[in-house]
Amino acid sequence: MLDSMTPTVLATRFARPGSLGGDVEDQARIRVLIVDDHAVVRMGLRVFFDLQDDITVVGEAADGSEGVAMARRLEPDVVLMDLLMPNMDGVTAIGRIKAERPETEIVTMTSFIEEDKVTAALEAGASGYVLKDAEAEEVAAAVRAAYAGEVHLDPAVARLLAQRMRSRKSGEGEPVEPLTERERDVIRLLGQGLSNKDIGAALFITERTARTYVSNILGKLGLASRTQAALWAVEHKLAEPVRDA
């Protein structure tokens, strides 16, 4: 469990740079909302994050429904979301938060690995999957990565996704509105783990233009996050399959 903080290495990242917001005092801090029905987990995370110079906990919620409401009111940068909770489960809460605030990144916390739960969380818009036996430092690393637009997956989760991709057939075909050649270049680089800045440098375009391409790609493919776009790139053989560290 998270309160024991035993080691688990987080791996697999697809990156983009995050943006800072808030007043001068908050500009160096990542605003985090913790959503978990176990008070001891919330308290342990808050105590640890209070020791970090770049992370501040702006709120805590005990279930998914409360988490959605608090995300709407507090506008956090990153949400740490448990999956199994009363009133509203984590997957449903992830989808609702991303629908209202697509710029908010969500890291899933769970004590189990089930393919349907993993894929459901990622498809709902989660940008990371952390097991609850992770060290506190690794959870903080996942928060920082999510804020930077990176995807951090536990190695076992990465391995599960790789196996799933290898076992899938050719995929679901092209989107209704085909990707342009430049958009295919962008999603290929996104799937390889490049940030918007690095994509821009590789294609000799500005970071803002790269960000616009990514947004257009998500719209064409009907995807909710860069995570899904990276997985789409792998499934359609535009990038190498995810490998565990």
Side-chain angles (χ1 to χ4, degrees):
M1 300 295 292
L2 268 173
D3 49 334
S4 65
M5 301 300 182
T6 55
T8 292
V9 178
L10 299 178
T12 309
R13 50 179 69 182
F14 304 109
R16 70 166 171 76
S19 60
L20 298 177
D23 56 29
V24 173
E25 183 178 334
D26 288 336
Q27 282 185 354
R29 289 181 174 268
I30 304 169
R31 295 165 49 83
V32 174
L33 170 65
I34 302 170
V35 185
D36 196 295
D37 60 332
H38 292 95
V40 67
V41 173
R42 299 196 307 272
M43 180 173 63
L45 286 168
R46 176 181 281 276
V47 169
F48 175 76
F49 287 145
D50 282 346
L51 300 175
Q52 309 304 304
D53 294 333
D54 61 338
I55 297 175
T56 183
V57 176
V58 296
E60 301 176 19
D63 60 56
S65 180
E66 185 181 3
V68 172
M70 292 188 73
R72 182 185 303 124
R73 176 167 60 87
L74 299 174
E75 300 184 346
D77 299 312
V78 179
V79 177
L80 276 174
M81 179 76 69
D82 189 16
L83 285 186
L84 296 180
M85 295 179 292
N87 299 327
M88 181 188 295
D89 63 35
V91 171
T92 302
I94 291 169
R96 295 194 180 182
I97 291 173
K98 293 299 287 187
E100 293 185 13
R101 288 187 50 79
E103 67 272 26
T104 295
E105 301 294 347
I106 302 176
V107 175
T108 297
M109 300 185 301
T110 183
S111 56
F112 58 87
I113 301 176
E114 294 180 8
E115 181 175 355
D116 59 338
K117 299 295 185 184
V118 172
T119 55
L122 294 177
E123 288 172 359
S127 58
Y129 204 102
V130 184
L131 293 182
K132 283 192 173 182
D133 63 354
E135 284 191 348
E137 290 82 359
E138 300 299 343
V139 178
V143 167
R144 294 182 182 108
Y147 181 66
E150 300 174 355
V151 177
H152 272 218
L153 303 179
D154 180 273
V157 174
R159 187 161 48 248
L160 175 66
L161 291 174
Q163 292 170 347
R164 172 176 175 262
M165 290 167 187
R166 283 195 296 266
S167 65
R168 290 186 65 163
K169 296 182 180 179
S170 58
E172 300 169 351
E174 291 293 324
V176 174
E177 184 179 355
L179 297 180
T180 66
E181 198 62 40
R182 178 48 61 93
E183 287 170 343
R184 292 178 71 85
D185 290 338
V186 169
I187 196 172
R188 182 181 297 108
L189 295 174
L190 191 157
Q192 292 172 1
L194 273 66
S195 66
N196 286 340
K197 181 178 181 179
D198 291 337
I199 290 173
L203 299 178
F204 303 100
I205 57 178
T206 66
E207 181 179 346
R208 181 183 295 273
T209 299
R211 187 181 300 113
T212 299
Y213 273 119
V214 171
S215 296
N216 291 342
I217 289 168
L218 295 181
K220 281 189 176 183
L221 299 180
L223 303 176
S225 69
R226 293 170 64 94
T227 314
Q228 295 177 27
L231 294 175
W232 190 94
V234 173
E235 291 171 352
H236 290 75
K237 305 184 187 307
L238 293 178
E240 289 297 315
V242 179
R243 300 183 188 278
D244 54 313

